[in-house]
DNA sequence: GTCTATAAATTGATAGAC
DNA sequence: GTCTATCAATTTATAGAC
């Protein structure tokens, strides 16, 4: 399945809603294209030439919008990481019993996956080949540590069904959550709520999220 | 963590156990090196030059052993897929109640992950950029279908704890299993048995594998 | 079975016109 | 903001000596 992106028309002048002409490409729409192609072919497997073809502009035009290929990657990865860390700041993640916080973070993480799927998918595939990728991996590890603490506290409270080492449980649970990016399609038959409830049900033995 | 592989000595003549001289490189040991580097930097992110440096031989020497970069990938992916399909043929996967077969396949899949970790890891990261990769993805889907049938039958028998759609359960469970490749180290503190029991415990609600 | 040298194509990125 | 033309470096792969 090769996604066909912007027809050349998209790169040309477009009529705005009041009829004015405006440039078709801002950095954001270019980012959308780039992330889609990166996810399809892998970051290293994508050339600027391919990127340009999919965006419907020439290779050199891309450099008018962004500093280079790695800058595109950095912005994309930060978008995913910012969304994940925002969840950690929400009241549901910082107040109440650890097991409830954990359920909340699992639910919200899956919602972030739904809302920012291409960006999170890209993040999950980063290997650490460049400074940009290493920085992203370090931020991702910080998120993992936040969740691991919740799991450990829920285990101390005796609220985890499975008798599992908390660190192992964290890895397995978030391994499951992250794997969703490989097949989930937002807006499809399976709703985010069904999906999140299913995961919580499977790993924590509860059917519904309170609230 | 940049793995340091073969010292140059490895590429030179080596004394066999009876003192005879023999060439240091056969296709198999080259494959081991290649798969390690592919997993570290990604297949597309690895050049033949880097491969040669890690193997301790020159770039052109590699072409004496294999047809090219993609041939190395194909052999590696087949090794992982052959190991997974072998599990499907084992008696534990083909006889008895579906829930027992499922438990068996989960256990054995994790054992394959342990025994063939670099090869399975590489398989799990394939994106479909080349004919070789597409063929591997198709074989992988065939394995998924085999497991999905077991989950569906176990659900029909009423033997699945979670009230989940079988296809969804399959994806979540094997998403969890596959994610193990991202952090697991064979021969470390966590044994394969503990790991497999932990996964089965978490998703099927059982602590031990019979047998 | 290894090497050096090199081919042929592709890569990320820049210069400068419109 | 887009383009063509181009660069320097890198990439996969081959030729041919030892």
């Amino acid at each position: 399945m090769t996604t066909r992106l912007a027809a050349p028309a998209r790169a040309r002048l477009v009529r705005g809603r009041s009829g004015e002409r405006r440039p078709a490409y801002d950095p954001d729409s270019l980012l959308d294209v780039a992330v889609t192609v990166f996810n399809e072919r892998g970051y290293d497997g994508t050339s600027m030439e391919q990127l340009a073809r999919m965006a419907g502009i020439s290779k050199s035009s891309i450099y008018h919008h962004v500093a280079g290929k790695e800058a595109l990657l950095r912005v994309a990865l930060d978008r995913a990481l910012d969304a994940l860390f925002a969840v950690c700041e929400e009241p549901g993640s910082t107040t109440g019993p650890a097991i409830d916080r954990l359920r909340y973070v699992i639910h919200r993480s899956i919602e972030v996956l739904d809302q920012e799927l291409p960006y999170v998918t890209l993040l999950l595939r980063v290997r650490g080949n460049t400074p940009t990728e290493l920085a992203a991996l370090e931020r991702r590890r910080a998120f993992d540590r936040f969740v691991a603490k919740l799991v450990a506290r829920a285990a101390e409270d005796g609220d985890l069904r499975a008798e599992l080492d908390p660190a192992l449980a964290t890895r397995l649970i978030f391994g499951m959550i992250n794997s969703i990016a490989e097949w989930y399609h937002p807006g499809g038959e399976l709703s985010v709520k069904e999906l999140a409830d299913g995961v919580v049900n499977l790993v924590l033995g509860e059917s519904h999220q309170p609230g």
Side-chain angles (χ1 to χ4, degrees), chain A:
Chain A
M1 170 193 67
T2 297
T3 303
R4 204 168 283 271
L5 283 167
R10 186 170 175 190
R12 301 294 178 179
L13 292 184
V14 182
R15 296 281 173 189
R17 73 180 61 187
S18 7
E20 85 288 2
R21 303 179 119 203
R22 61 171 180 78
Y25 263 106
D26 52 275
D28 268 15
S29 60
L30 178 61
L31 185 65
D32 283 347
V33 173
V35 170
T36 301
V37 184
F38 287 165
N39 279 330
E40 221 170 75
R41 308 191 46 83
Y43 173 73
D44 286 309
T46 303
S47 72
M48 294 298 271
E49 176 62 41
Q50 292 170 320
L51 215 53
R53 206 180 312 128
M54 296 303 272
I57 58 180
S58 76
K59 202 167 52 159
S60 66
S61 291
I62 292 179
Y63 290 92
H64 178 82
H65 300 286
V66 293
K69 190 181 170 184
E70 198 170 348
L72 275 170
L73 180 65
R74 182 167 36 73
V75 175
L77 295 179
D78 279 341
R79 175 155 162 181
L81 287 161
D82 290 347
L84 285 174
F85 276 106
V87 170
C88 302
E89 307 287 329
E90 293 168 4
S93 305
T94 58
T95 57
I99 183 70
D100 291 342
R101 298 190 198 189
L102 178 59
R103 250 194 293 271
Y104 181 84
V105 171
I106 291 178
H107 260 265
R108 289 287 294 121
S109 293
I110 295 175
E111 284 171 8
V112 167
L113 199 62
D114 173 68
Q115 288 155 17
E116 307 284 348
L117 184 62
Y119 300 91
V120 177
T121 301
L122 191 61
L123 173 66
L124 294 174
R125 293 181 184 165
V126 151
R127 310 267 11 118
N129 286 353
T130 64
T132 296
E133 298 182 52
L134 286 170
L137 283 179
E138 180 49 42
R139 283 190 78 189
R140 215 186 119 184
R141 275 192 287 271
F143 178 80
D144 289 347
R145 283 192 291 270
F146 178 87
V147 179
K149 271 186 191 165
L150 287 186
V151 175
R153 282 177 193 162
E156 285 170 19
D157 298 346
D159 288 334
L160 282 191
R161 179 179 45 77
E163 64 268 12
L164 236 60
D165 170 60
L168 175 58
T170 303
R171 284 176 156 158
L172 291 177
I173 292 172
F174 270 78
M176 176 181 283
I177 292 172
N178 291 340
S179 76
I180 293 170
E182 296 297 322
W183 52 267
Y184 177 70
H185 296 287
E189 284 188 24
L190 182 68
S191 74
V192 203
K193 178 155 176 41
E194 285 172 315
L195 179 56
D197 282 348
V199 170
V200 170
N201 179 4
L202 199 53
V203 300
L204 297 183
E206 297 278 340
S207 297
H208 300 293
Q209 157 88 337

